[in-house]
PDB file of all heavy atoms in Angstrom:
ATOM      1  N   GLU P   1     -17.756  -0.241   5.589  1.00  0.00           N
ATOM      2  CA  GLU P   1     -16.496  -1.024   6.045  1.00  0.00           C
ATOM      3  C   GLU P   1     -15.714  -0.227   6.987  1.00  0.00           C
ATOM      4  O   GLU P   1     -15.653   0.989   6.952  1.00  0.00           O
ATOM      5  CB  GLU P   1     -15.799  -1.417   4.897  1.00  0.00           C
ATOM      6  CG  GLU P   1     -16.472  -2.056   3.709  1.00  0.00           C
ATOM      7  CD  GLU P   1     -16.904  -1.297   2.456  1.00  0.00           C
ATOM      8  OE1 GLU P   1     -17.076  -0.106   2.704  1.00  0.00           O
ATOM      9  OE2 GLU P   1     -17.030  -1.847   1.453  1.00  0.00           O
ATOM     10  N   SER P   2     -14.995  -0.987   7.775  1.00  0.00           N
ATOM     11  CA  SER P   2     -14.033  -0.468   8.662  1.00  0.00           C
ATOM     12  C   SER P   2     -12.931  -1.444   9.003  1.00  0.00           C
ATOM     13  O   SER P   2     -13.207  -2.722   8.751  1.00  0.00           O
ATOM     14  CB  SER P   2     -14.655   0.006  10.004  1.00  0.00           C
ATOM     15  OG  SER P   2     -15.231  -1.051  10.694  1.00  0.00           O
ATOM     16  N   GLY P   3     -11.836  -0.996   9.547  1.00  0.00           N
ATOM     17  CA  GLY P   3     -10.761  -1.913   9.927  1.00  0.00           C
ATOM     18  C   GLY P   3      -9.503  -1.883   9.103  1.00  0.00           C
ATOM     19  O   GLY P   3      -8.556  -2.579   9.338  1.00  0.00           O
ATOM     20  N   GLY P   4      -9.692  -1.196   7.967  1.00  0.00           N
ATOM     21  CA  GLY P   4      -8.439  -1.147   7.076  1.00  0.00           C
ATOM     22  C   GLY P   4      -7.415  -0.295   7.609  1.00  0.00           C
ATOM     23  O   GLY P   4      -7.668   0.343   8.701  1.00  0.00           O
ATOM     24  N   GLY P   5      -6.250  -0.262   6.989  1.00  0.00           N
ATOM     25  CA  GLY P   5      -5.167   0.454   7.448  1.00  0.00           C
ATOM     26  C   GLY P   5      -3.801  -0.102   6.986  1.00  0.00           C
ATOM     27  O   GLY P   5      -3.761  -0.837   6.032  1.00  0.00           O
ATOM     28  N   LEU P   6      -2.692   0.453   7.604  1.00  0.00           N
ATOM     29  CA  LEU P   6      -1.399   0.014   7.207  1.00  0.00           C
ATOM     30  C   LEU P   6      -0.983  -1.053   8.207  1.00  0.00           C
ATOM     31  O   LEU P   6      -1.148  -0.893   9.470  1.00  0.00           O
ATOM     32  CB  LEU P   6      -0.405   1.273   7.298  1.00  0.00           C
ATOM     33  CG  LEU P   6       0.945   0.970   7.112  1.00  0.00           C
ATOM     34  CD1 LEU P   6       1.288   0.390   5.843  1.00  0.00           C
ATOM     35  CD2 LEU P   6       1.780   2.231   7.432  1.00  0.00           C
ATOM     36  N   VAL P   7      -0.345  -2.163   7.666  1.00  0.00           N
ATOM     37  CA  VAL P   7       0.073  -3.246   8.519  1.00  0.00           C
ATOM     38  C   VAL P   7       1.416  -3.745   7.848  1.00  0.00           C
ATOM     39  O   VAL P   7       1.510  -3.711   6.768  1.00  0.00           O
ATOM     40  CB  VAL P   7      -0.949  -4.221   8.682  1.00  0.00           C
ATOM     41  CG1 VAL P   7      -1.376  -4.948   7.331  1.00  0.00           C
ATOM     42  CG2 VAL P   7      -0.630  -5.365   9.781  1.00  0.00           C
ATOM     43  N   GLN P   8       2.236  -4.179   8.765  1.00  0.00           N
ATOM     44  CA  GLN P   8       3.472  -4.788   8.258  1.00  0.00           C
ATOM     45  C   GLN P   8       3.265  -6.267   7.759  1.00  0.00           C
ATOM     46  O   GLN P   8       2.299  -6.959   8.136  1.00  0.00           O
ATOM     47  CB  GLN P   8       4.440  -4.857   9.311  1.00  0.00           C
ATOM     48  CG  GLN P   8       4.935  -3.447   9.753  1.00  0.00           C
ATOM     49  CD  GLN P   8       6.112  -3.513  10.832  1.00  0.00           C
ATOM     50  OE1 GLN P   8       6.312  -4.605  11.491  1.00  0.00           O
ATOM     51  NE2 GLN P   8       6.827  -2.394  10.978  1.00  0.00           N
ATOM     52  N   PRO P   9       4.088  -6.699   6.806  1.00  0.00           N
ATOM     53  CA  PRO P   9       3.933  -8.094   6.338  1.00  0.00           C
ATOM     54  C   PRO P   9       4.069  -9.075   7.485  1.00  0.00           C
ATOM     55  O   PRO P   9       4.810  -8.867   8.448  1.00  0.00           O
ATOM     56  CB  PRO P   9       5.311  -8.098   5.444  1.00  0.00           C
ATOM     57  CG  PRO P   9       5.544  -6.884   4.900  1.00  0.00           C
ATOM     58  CD  PRO P   9       5.114  -5.909   6.086  1.00  0.00           C
ATOM     59  N   GLY P  10       3.114 -10.057   7.366  1.00  0.00           N
ATOM     60  CA  GLY P  10       2.930 -10.945   8.514  1.00  0.00           C
ATOM     61  C   GLY P  10       2.012 -10.616   9.558  1.00  0.00           C
ATOM     62  O   GLY P  10       1.586 -11.342  10.463  1.00  0.00           O
ATOM     63  N   GLY P  11       1.604  -9.278   9.502  1.00  0.00           N
ATOM     64  CA  GLY P  11       0.519  -8.815  10.497  1.00  0.00           C
ATOM     65  C   GLY P  11      -0.799  -9.242  10.216  1.00  0.00           C
ATOM     66  O   GLY P  11      -1.134 -10.037   9.247  1.00  0.00           O
ATOM     67  N   SER P  12      -1.724  -8.781  11.090  1.00  0.00           N
ATOM     68  CA  SER P  12      -3.130  -9.145  10.962  1.00  0.00           C
ATOM     69  C   SER P  12      -4.044  -7.866  10.891  1.00  0.00           C
ATOM     70  O   SER P  12      -3.649  -6.892  11.508  1.00  0.00           O
ATOM     71  CB  SER P  12      -3.629  -9.946  12.108  1.00  0.00           C
ATOM     72  OG  SER P  12      -2.898 -11.169  12.151  1.00  0.00           O
ATOM     73  N   LEU P  13      -5.192  -8.002  10.266  1.00  0.00           N
ATOM     74  CA  LEU P  13      -6.330  -6.992  10.385  1.00  0.00           C
ATOM     75  C   LEU P  13      -7.534  -7.693  10.387  1.00  0.00           C
ATOM     76  O   LEU P  13      -7.694  -8.665   9.915  1.00  0.00           O
ATOM     77  CB  LEU P  13      -6.207  -5.971   9.143  1.00  0.00           C
ATOM     78  CG  LEU P  13      -5.175  -4.985   9.027  1.00  0.00           C
ATOM     79  CD1 LEU P  13      -5.226  -4.289   7.652  1.00  0.00           C
ATOM     80  CD2 LEU P  13      -5.310  -4.006  10.115  1.00  0.00           C
ATOM     81  N   ARG P  14      -8.582  -7.019  11.016  1.00  0.00           N
ATOM     82  CA  ARG P  14      -9.929  -7.388  10.983  1.00  0.00           C
ATOM     83  C   ARG P  14     -10.787  -6.377  10.390  1.00  0.00           C
ATOM     84  O   ARG P  14     -10.995  -5.350  10.943  1.00  0.00           O
ATOM     85  CB  ARG P  14     -10.440  -7.843  12.371  1.00  0.00           C
ATOM     86  CG  ARG P  14     -11.721  -8.622  12.433  1.00  0.00           C
ATOM     87  CD  ARG P  14     -12.373  -8.587  13.780  1.00  0.00           C
ATOM     88  NE  ARG P  14     -13.362  -9.655  13.849  1.00  0.00           N
ATOM     89  CZ  ARG P  14     -14.446  -9.378  14.739  1.00  0.00           C
ATOM     90  NH1 ARG P  14     -14.441  -8.388  15.445  1.00  0.00           N
ATOM     91  NH2 ARG P  14     -15.384 -10.279  14.726  1.00  0.00           N
ATOM     92  N   LEU P  15     -11.513  -6.827   9.278  1.00  0.00           N
ATOM     93  CA  LEU P  15     -12.321  -5.859   8.551  1.00  0.00           C
ATOM     94  C   LEU P  15     -13.701  -6.184   9.042  1.00  0.00           C
ATOM     95  O   LEU P  15     -14.144  -7.329   9.205  1.00  0.00           O
ATOM     96  CB  LEU P  15     -12.287  -6.044   7.104  1.00  0.00           C
ATOM     97  CG  LEU P  15     -10.892  -5.893   6.425  1.00  0.00           C
ATOM     98  CD1 LEU P  15     -11.006  -5.909   4.962  1.00  0.00           C
ATOM     99  CD2 LEU P  15     -10.185  -4.538   6.786  1.00  0.00           C
ATOM    100  N   SER P  16     -14.591  -5.086   9.084  1.00  0.00           N
ATOM    101  CA  SER P  16     -15.927  -5.264   9.472  1.00  0.00           C
ATOM    102  C   SER P  16     -16.793  -4.474   8.444  1.00  0.00           C
ATOM    103  O   SER P  16     -16.340  -3.527   7.872  1.00  0.00           O
ATOM    104  CB  SER P  16     -16.293  -4.679  10.876  1.00  0.00           C
ATOM    105  OG  SER P  16     -15.558  -5.333  11.880  1.00  0.00           O
ATOM    106  N   CYS P  17     -17.917  -4.959   8.217  1.00  0.00           N
ATOM    107  CA  CYS P  17     -18.881  -4.363   7.276  1.00  0.00           C
ATOM    108  C   CYS P  17     -20.231  -4.352   7.907  1.00  0.00           C
ATOM    109  O   CYS P  17     -20.890  -5.525   8.013  1.00  0.00           O
ATOM    110  CB  CYS P  17     -18.885  -4.994   5.924  1.00  0.00           C
ATOM    111  SG  CYS P  17     -20.245  -4.330   4.819  1.00  0.00           S
ATOM    112  N   ALA P  18     -20.854  -3.249   8.267  1.00  0.00           N
ATOM    113  CA  ALA P  18     -22.173  -3.203   8.925  1.00  0.00           C
ATOM    114  C   ALA P  18     -23.179  -2.584   7.853  1.00  0.00           C
ATOM    115  O   ALA P  18     -22.885  -1.555   7.325  1.00  0.00           O
ATOM    116  CB  ALA P  18     -22.070  -2.413  10.146  1.00  0.00           C
ATOM    117  N   ALA P  19     -24.206  -3.322   7.730  1.00  0.00           N
ATOM    118  CA  ALA P  19     -25.308  -2.792   6.876  1.00  0.00           C
ATOM    119  C   ALA P  19     -26.404  -2.111   7.647  1.00  0.00           C
ATOM    120  O   ALA P  19     -26.708  -2.563   8.812  1.00  0.00           O
ATOM    121  CB  ALA P  19     -25.808  -3.988   6.114  1.00  0.00           C
ATOM    122  N   SER P  20     -26.968  -1.125   7.024  1.00  0.00           N
ATOM    123  CA  SER P  20     -28.037  -0.425   7.624  1.00  0.00           C
ATOM    124  C   SER P  20     -29.243  -0.347   6.622  1.00  0.00           C
ATOM    125  O   SER P  20     -28.959  -0.427   5.412  1.00  0.00           O
ATOM    126  CB  SER P  20     -27.626   0.958   8.132  1.00  0.00           C
ATOM    127  OG  SER P  20     -27.206   1.735   6.886  1.00  0.00           O
ATOM    128  N   GLY P  21     -30.373  -0.170   7.125  1.00  0.00           N
ATOM    129  CA  GLY P  21     -31.516  -0.192   6.233  1.00  0.00           C
ATOM    130  C   GLY P  21     -32.127  -1.594   6.098  1.00  0.00           C
ATOM    131  O   GLY P  21     -31.656  -2.572   6.739  1.00  0.00           O
ATOM    132  N   THR P  22     -33.223  -1.683   5.334  1.00  0.00           N
ATOM    133  CA  THR P  22     -33.932  -2.879   5.314  1.00  0.00           C
ATOM    134  C   THR P  22     -33.412  -3.769   4.100  1.00  0.00           C
ATOM    135  O   THR P  22     -33.339  -3.245   3.047  1.00  0.00           O
ATOM    136  CB  THR P  22     -35.395  -2.654   5.115  1.00  0.00           C
ATOM    137  OG1 THR P  22     -35.899  -1.934   6.185  1.00  0.00           O
ATOM    138  CG2 THR P  22     -36.164  -4.061   4.995  1.00  0.00           C
ATOM    139  N   ILE P  23     -32.967  -4.976   4.440  1.00  0.00           N
ATOM    140  CA  ILE P  23     -32.552  -5.931   3.430  1.00  0.00           C
ATOM    141  C   ILE P  23     -33.288  -7.173   3.446  1.00  0.00           C
ATOM    142  O   ILE P  23     -33.226  -7.706   4.581  1.00  0.00           O
ATOM    143  CB  ILE P  23     -30.983  -6.175   3.470  1.00  0.00           C
ATOM    144  CG1 ILE P  23     -30.128  -4.799   3.526  1.00  0.00           C
ATOM    145  CG2 ILE P  23     -30.459  -7.132   2.476  1.00  0.00           C
ATOM    146  CD1 ILE P  23     -28.653  -5.129   3.753  1.00  0.00           C
ATOM    147  N   PHE P  24     -33.777  -7.542   2.335  1.00  0.00           N
ATOM    148  CA  PHE P  24     -34.650  -8.734   2.385  1.00  0.00           C
ATOM    149  C   PHE P  24     -33.668  -9.924   2.054  1.00  0.00           C
ATOM    150  O   PHE P  24     -33.148 -10.049   1.015  1.00  0.00           O
ATOM    151  CB  PHE P  24     -35.764  -8.674   1.362  1.00  0.00           C
ATOM    152  CG  PHE P  24     -36.664  -9.744   1.272  1.00  0.00           C
ATOM    153  CD1 PHE P  24     -37.699 -10.008   2.382  1.00  0.00           C
ATOM    154  CD2 PHE P  24     -36.451 -10.765   0.245  1.00  0.00           C
ATOM    155  CE1 PHE P  24     -38.467 -11.072   2.333  1.00  0.00           C
ATOM    156  CE2 PHE P  24     -37.482 -11.815   0.292  1.00  0.00           C
ATOM    157  CZ  PHE P  24     -38.380 -12.054   1.274  1.00  0.00           C
ATOM    158  N   SER P  25     -33.498 -10.768   3.018  1.00  0.00           N
ATOM    159  CA  SER P  25     -32.728 -12.010   2.826  1.00  0.00           C
ATOM    160  C   SER P  25     -31.297 -11.749   2.357  1.00  0.00           C
ATOM    161  O   SER P  25     -31.004 -11.725   1.177  1.00  0.00           O
ATOM    162  CB  SER P  25     -33.394 -12.974   1.800  1.00  0.00           C
ATOM    163  OG  SER P  25     -34.650 -13.340   2.382  1.00  0.00           O
ATOM    164  N   MET P  26     -30.395 -11.581   3.287  1.00  0.00           N
ATOM    165  CA  MET P  26     -28.952 -11.417   2.984  1.00  0.00           C
ATOM    166  C   MET P  26     -28.456 -12.862   2.665  1.00  0.00           C
ATOM    167  O   MET P  26     -27.853 -13.494   3.481  1.00  0.00           O
ATOM    168  CB  MET P  26     -28.327 -10.760   4.197  1.00  0.00           C
ATOM    169  CG  MET P  26     -28.872  -9.417   4.546  1.00  0.00           C
ATOM    170  SD  MET P  26     -27.845  -8.578   5.832  1.00  0.00           S
ATOM    171  CE  MET P  26     -28.032  -9.768   7.144  1.00  0.00           C
ATOM    172  N   ASN P  27     -28.702 -13.264   1.467  1.00  0.00           N
ATOM    173  CA  ASN P  27     -28.335 -14.563   1.040  1.00  0.00           C
ATOM    174  C   ASN P  27     -26.779 -14.906   1.177  1.00  0.00           C
ATOM    175  O   ASN P  27     -26.345 -15.802   1.777  1.00  0.00           O
ATOM    176  CB  ASN P  27     -28.768 -14.902  -0.354  1.00  0.00           C
ATOM    177  CG  ASN P  27     -30.278 -14.783  -0.421  1.00  0.00           C
ATOM    178  OD1 ASN P  27     -31.029 -15.254   0.457  1.00  0.00           O
ATOM    179  ND2 ASN P  27     -30.772 -14.297  -1.522  1.00  0.00           N
ATOM    180  N   VAL P  28     -25.974 -13.982   0.570  1.00  0.00           N
ATOM    181  CA  VAL P  28     -24.493 -14.111   0.588  1.00  0.00           C
ATOM    182  C   VAL P  28     -23.938 -12.839   0.963  1.00  0.00           C
ATOM    183  O   VAL P  28     -24.332 -11.890   0.424  1.00  0.00           O
ATOM    184  CB  VAL P  28     -24.038 -14.617  -0.773  1.00  0.00           C
ATOM    185  CG1 VAL P  28     -22.510 -14.863  -0.728  1.00  0.00           C
ATOM    186  CG2 VAL P  28     -24.762 -15.895  -1.259  1.00  0.00           C
ATOM    187  N   MET P  29     -23.065 -12.864   1.893  1.00  0.00           N
ATOM    188  CA  MET P  29     -22.232 -11.750   2.253  1.00  0.00           C
ATOM    189  C   MET P  29     -20.839 -12.005   1.858  1.00  0.00           C
ATOM    190  O   MET P  29     -20.267 -13.217   2.023  1.00  0.00           O
ATOM    191  CB  MET P  29     -22.397 -11.444   3.713  1.00  0.00           C
ATOM    192  CG  MET P  29     -23.854 -11.338   4.230  1.00  0.00           C
ATOM    193  SD  MET P  29     -23.952 -10.960   5.912  1.00  0.00           S
ATOM    194  CE  MET P  29     -23.697  -9.174   6.055  1.00  0.00           C
ATOM    195  N   GLY P  30     -20.065 -10.981   1.430  1.00  0.00           N
ATOM    196  CA  GLY P  30     -18.694 -11.293   0.942  1.00  0.00           C
ATOM    197  C   GLY P  30     -17.856 -10.081   0.903  1.00  0.00           C
ATOM    198  O   GLY P  30     -18.257  -8.983   1.253  1.00  0.00           O
ATOM    199  N   TRP P  31     -16.604 -10.401   0.664  1.00  0.00           N
ATOM    200  CA  TRP P  31     -15.589  -9.330   0.567  1.00  0.00           C
ATOM    201  C   TRP P  31     -14.899  -9.615  -0.901  1.00  0.00           C
ATOM    202  O   TRP P  31     -14.484 -10.727  -1.227  1.00  0.00           O
ATOM    203  CB  TRP P  31     -14.530  -9.495   1.648  1.00  0.00           C
ATOM    204  CG  TRP P  31     -15.078  -9.138   3.062  1.00  0.00           C
ATOM    205  CD1 TRP P  31     -15.611  -9.975   3.854  1.00  0.00           C
ATOM    206  CD2 TRP P  31     -15.064  -7.839   3.555  1.00  0.00           C
ATOM    207  NE1 TRP P  31     -15.935  -9.126   5.060  1.00  0.00           N
ATOM    208  CE2 TRP P  31     -15.514  -7.852   4.816  1.00  0.00           C
ATOM    209  CE3 TRP P  31     -14.576  -6.600   3.111  1.00  0.00           C
ATOM    210  CZ2 TRP P  31     -15.789  -6.757   5.628  1.00  0.00           C
ATOM    211  CZ3 TRP P  31     -14.849  -5.402   3.930  1.00  0.00           C
ATOM    212  CH2 TRP P  31     -15.342  -5.635   5.218  1.00  0.00           C
ATOM    213  N   TYR P  32     -14.656  -8.470  -1.455  1.00  0.00           N
ATOM    214  CA  TYR P  32     -13.955  -8.504  -2.728  1.00  0.00           C
ATOM    215  C   TYR P  32     -12.762  -7.441  -2.524  1.00  0.00           C
ATOM    216  O   TYR P  32     -12.764  -6.684  -1.646  1.00  0.00           O
ATOM    217  CB  TYR P  32     -14.793  -7.920  -3.929  1.00  0.00           C
ATOM    218  CG  TYR P  32     -15.762  -9.002  -4.320  1.00  0.00           C
ATOM    219  CD1 TYR P  32     -16.938  -9.275  -3.529  1.00  0.00           C
ATOM    220  CD2 TYR P  32     -15.595  -9.748  -5.548  1.00  0.00           C
ATOM    221  CE1 TYR P  32     -17.838 -10.186  -3.886  1.00  0.00           C
ATOM    222  CE2 TYR P  32     -16.591 -10.679  -5.890  1.00  0.00           C
ATOM    223  CZ  TYR P  32     -17.667 -10.870  -5.182  1.00  0.00           C
ATOM    224  OH  TYR P  32     -18.733 -11.825  -5.549  1.00  0.00           O
ATOM    225  N   ARG P  33     -11.808  -7.485  -3.446  1.00  0.00           N
ATOM    226  CA  ARG P  33     -10.680  -6.484  -3.389  1.00  0.00           C
ATOM    227  C   ARG P  33     -10.382  -6.135  -4.852  1.00  0.00           C
ATOM    228  O   ARG P  33     -10.491  -6.939  -5.772  1.00  0.00           O
ATOM    229  CB  ARG P  33      -9.529  -7.072  -2.590  1.00  0.00           C
ATOM    230  CG  ARG P  33      -8.691  -8.241  -3.294  1.00  0.00           C
ATOM    231  CD  ARG P  33      -7.627  -8.728  -2.325  1.00  0.00           C
ATOM    232  NE  ARG P  33      -6.723  -9.665  -3.066  1.00  0.00           N
ATOM    233  CZ  ARG P  33      -5.723 -10.177  -2.549  1.00  0.00           C
ATOM    234  NH1 ARG P  33      -5.492 -10.011  -1.186  1.00  0.00           N
ATOM    235  NH2 ARG P  33      -5.004 -11.139  -3.263  1.00  0.00           N
ATOM    236  N   GLN P  34      -9.720  -4.901  -4.841  1.00  0.00           N
ATOM    237  CA  GLN P  34      -9.233  -4.460  -6.119  1.00  0.00           C
ATOM    238  C   GLN P  34      -7.959  -3.722  -5.907  1.00  0.00           C
ATOM    239  O   GLN P  34      -7.930  -2.763  -5.097  1.00  0.00           O
ATOM    240  CB  GLN P  34     -10.203  -3.504  -6.825  1.00  0.00           C
ATOM    241  CG  GLN P  34      -9.867  -3.144  -8.167  1.00  0.00           C
ATOM    242  CD  GLN P  34     -11.016  -2.554  -8.972  1.00  0.00           C
ATOM    243  OE1 GLN P  34     -11.941  -2.103  -8.353  1.00  0.00           O
ATOM    244  NE2 GLN P  34     -10.855  -2.525 -10.302  1.00  0.00           N
ATOM    245  N   ALA P  35      -6.904  -4.227  -6.450  1.00  0.00           N
ATOM    246  CA  ALA P  35      -5.547  -3.654  -6.307  1.00  0.00           C
ATOM    247  C   ALA P  35      -5.360  -2.741  -7.639  1.00  0.00           C
ATOM    248  O   ALA P  35      -6.041  -2.909  -8.581  1.00  0.00           O
ATOM    249  CB  ALA P  35      -4.433  -4.733  -6.352  1.00  0.00           C
ATOM    250  N   PRO P  36      -4.518  -1.755  -7.548  1.00  0.00           N
ATOM    251  CA  PRO P  36      -4.369  -0.794  -8.589  1.00  0.00           C
ATOM    252  C   PRO P  36      -3.937  -1.462  -9.897  1.00  0.00           C
ATOM    253  O   PRO P  36      -3.143  -2.354  -9.946  1.00  0.00           O
ATOM    254  CB  PRO P  36      -3.222   0.085  -8.143  1.00  0.00           C
ATOM    255  CG  PRO P  36      -3.223   0.012  -6.738  1.00  0.00           C
ATOM    256  CD  PRO P  36      -3.752  -1.353  -6.387  1.00  0.00           C
ATOM    257  N   GLY P  37      -4.722  -1.197 -10.954  1.00  0.00           N
ATOM    258  CA  GLY P  37      -4.514  -1.830 -12.246  1.00  0.00           C
ATOM    259  C   GLY P  37      -4.928  -3.162 -12.441  1.00  0.00           C
ATOM    260  O   GLY P  37      -4.757  -3.805 -13.397  1.00  0.00           O
ATOM    261  N   LYS P  38      -5.669  -3.794 -11.444  1.00  0.00           N
ATOM    262  CA  LYS P  38      -6.165  -5.040 -11.577  1.00  0.00           C
ATOM    263  C   LYS P  38      -7.655  -5.064 -11.467  1.00  0.00           C
ATOM    264  O   LYS P  38      -8.218  -4.056 -10.925  1.00  0.00           O
ATOM    265  CB  LYS P  38      -5.611  -5.942 -10.392  1.00  0.00           C
ATOM    266  CG  LYS P  38      -4.071  -6.138 -10.538  1.00  0.00           C
ATOM    267  CD  LYS P  38      -3.618  -7.123  -9.575  1.00  0.00           C
ATOM    268  CE  LYS P  38      -2.013  -7.368  -9.792  1.00  0.00           C
ATOM    269  NZ  LYS P  38      -1.541  -8.386  -8.714  1.00  0.00           N
ATOM    270  N   GLU P  39      -8.263  -6.198 -11.798  1.00  0.00           N
ATOM    271  CA  GLU P  39      -9.775  -6.412 -11.663  1.00  0.00           C
ATOM    272  C   GLU P  39     -10.148  -6.732 -10.227  1.00  0.00           C
ATOM    273  O   GLU P  39      -9.295  -7.218  -9.508  1.00  0.00           O
ATOM    274  CB  GLU P  39     -10.175  -7.421 -12.654  1.00  0.00           C
ATOM    275  CG  GLU P  39     -10.003  -7.130 -14.117  1.00  0.00           C
ATOM    276  CD  GLU P  39     -10.629  -8.167 -15.051  1.00  0.00           C
ATOM    277  OE1 GLU P  39     -10.951  -9.171 -14.515  1.00  0.00           O
ATOM    278  OE2 GLU P  39     -10.694  -7.922 -16.334  1.00  0.00           O
ATOM    279  N   ARG P  40     -11.339  -6.400 -10.065  1.00  0.00           N
ATOM    280  CA  ARG P  40     -11.875  -6.783  -8.604  1.00  0.00           C
ATOM    281  C   ARG P  40     -12.038  -8.347  -8.616  1.00  0.00           C
ATOM    282  O   ARG P  40     -12.366  -8.861  -9.469  1.00  0.00           O
ATOM    283  CB  ARG P  40     -13.230  -6.093  -8.432  1.00  0.00           C
ATOM    284  CG  ARG P  40     -13.790  -6.173  -6.988  1.00  0.00           C
ATOM    285  CD  ARG P  40     -15.000  -5.349  -6.837  1.00  0.00           C
ATOM    286  NE  ARG P  40     -14.706  -3.966  -7.017  1.00  0.00           N
ATOM    287  CZ  ARG P  40     -15.636  -3.017  -6.715  1.00  0.00           C
ATOM    288  NH1 ARG P  40     -16.826  -3.237  -6.286  1.00  0.00           N
ATOM    289  NH2 ARG P  40     -15.421  -1.661  -6.938  1.00  0.00           N
ATOM    290  N   GLU P  41     -11.572  -8.779  -7.496  1.00  0.00           N
ATOM    291  CA  GLU P  41     -11.653 -10.294  -7.311  1.00  0.00           C
ATOM    292  C   GLU P  41     -12.398 -10.659  -5.904  1.00  0.00           C
ATOM    293  O   GLU P  41     -12.231  -9.889  -5.042  1.00  0.00           O
ATOM    294  CB  GLU P  41     -10.220 -10.863  -7.320  1.00  0.00           C
ATOM    295  CG  GLU P  41      -9.318 -10.380  -6.398  1.00  0.00           C
ATOM    296  CD  GLU P  41      -7.902 -10.997  -6.547  1.00  0.00           C
ATOM    297  OE1 GLU P  41      -7.748 -11.895  -7.309  1.00  0.00           O
ATOM    298  OE2 GLU P  41      -6.884 -10.498  -5.729  1.00  0.00           O
ATOM    299  N   LEU P  42     -12.859 -11.859  -5.900  1.00  0.00           N
ATOM    300  CA  LEU P  42     -13.510 -12.405  -4.726  1.00  0.00           C
ATOM    301  C   LEU P  42     -12.341 -12.702  -3.682  1.00  0.00           C
ATOM    302  O   LEU P  42     -11.456 -13.528  -3.978  1.00  0.00           O
ATOM    303  CB  LEU P  42     -14.370 -13.635  -5.010  1.00  0.00           C
ATOM    304  CG  LEU P  42     -14.786 -14.235  -3.761  1.00  0.00           C
ATOM    305  CD1 LEU P  42     -16.019 -13.463  -3.148  1.00  0.00           C
ATOM    306  CD2 LEU P  42     -15.422 -15.646  -4.158  1.00  0.00           C
ATOM    307  N   VAL P  43     -12.548 -12.238  -2.534  1.00  0.00           N
ATOM    308  CA  VAL P  43     -11.683 -12.676  -1.340  1.00  0.00           C
ATOM    309  C   VAL P  43     -12.368 -13.804  -0.593  1.00  0.00           C
ATOM    310  O   VAL P  43     -11.776 -14.898  -0.407  1.00  0.00           O
ATOM    311  CB  VAL P  43     -11.425 -11.553  -0.366  1.00  0.00           C
ATOM    312  CG1 VAL P  43     -10.516 -12.012   0.743  1.00  0.00           C
ATOM    313  CG2 VAL P  43     -10.767 -10.394  -1.149  1.00  0.00           C
ATOM    314  N   ALA P  44     -13.604 -13.600  -0.249  1.00  0.00           N
ATOM    315  CA  ALA P  44     -14.298 -14.640   0.573  1.00  0.00           C
ATOM    316  C   ALA P  44     -15.756 -14.326   0.520  1.00  0.00           C
ATOM    317  O   ALA P  44     -16.110 -13.172   0.470  1.00  0.00           O
ATOM    318  CB  ALA P  44     -13.772 -14.635   2.010  1.00  0.00           C
ATOM    319  N   SER P  45     -16.541 -15.331   0.565  1.00  0.00           N
ATOM    320  CA  SER P  45     -17.996 -15.162   0.811  1.00  0.00           C
ATOM    321  C   SER P  45     -18.544 -16.201   1.846  1.00  0.00           C
ATOM    322  O   SER P  45     -17.990 -17.248   2.141  1.00  0.00           O
ATOM    323  CB  SER P  45     -18.703 -15.346  -0.553  1.00  0.00           C
ATOM    324  OG  SER P  45     -18.553 -16.663  -1.042  1.00  0.00           O
ATOM    325  N   ILE P  46     -19.753 -15.834   2.303  1.00  0.00           N
ATOM    326  CA  ILE P  46     -20.418 -16.736   3.324  1.00  0.00           C
ATOM    327  C   ILE P  46     -21.951 -16.687   3.034  1.00  0.00           C
ATOM    328  O   ILE P  46     -22.447 -15.658   2.898  1.00  0.00           O
ATOM    329  CB  ILE P  46     -19.996 -16.434   4.717  1.00  0.00           C
ATOM    330  CG1 ILE P  46     -20.655 -17.418   5.700  1.00  0.00           C
ATOM    331  CG2 ILE P  46     -20.379 -14.954   5.023  1.00  0.00           C
ATOM    332  CD1 ILE P  46     -20.092 -17.168   7.165  1.00  0.00           C
TER     333      ILE P  46
END
């Protein structure tokens, strides 16, 4: 993953995730997030 960082409220960021190696059928690609003290949750999937 890349693209994270510090941003002010109201700002924008673009995250990227590049896969290397052989993957058979990337059926679903997605992003999850985990804040301190919280469970990991789905952000988006495609």
Side-chain angles (χ1 to χ4, degrees):
E1 299 104 334
S2 60
L6 174 64
V7 63
Q8 292 186 342
S12 298
L13 283 175
R14 188 189 193 213
L15 305 184
S16 299
C17 171
S20 61
T22 301
I23 302 176
F24 183 77
S25 295
M26 299 184 298
N27 297 322
V28 183
M29 305 179 80
W31 291 92
Y32 289 73
R33 72 183 188 183
Q34 188 166 18
K38 294 188 177 181
E39 294 186 351
R40 190 172 296 190
E41 61 182 348
L42 173 70
V43 178
S45 64
I46 183 168

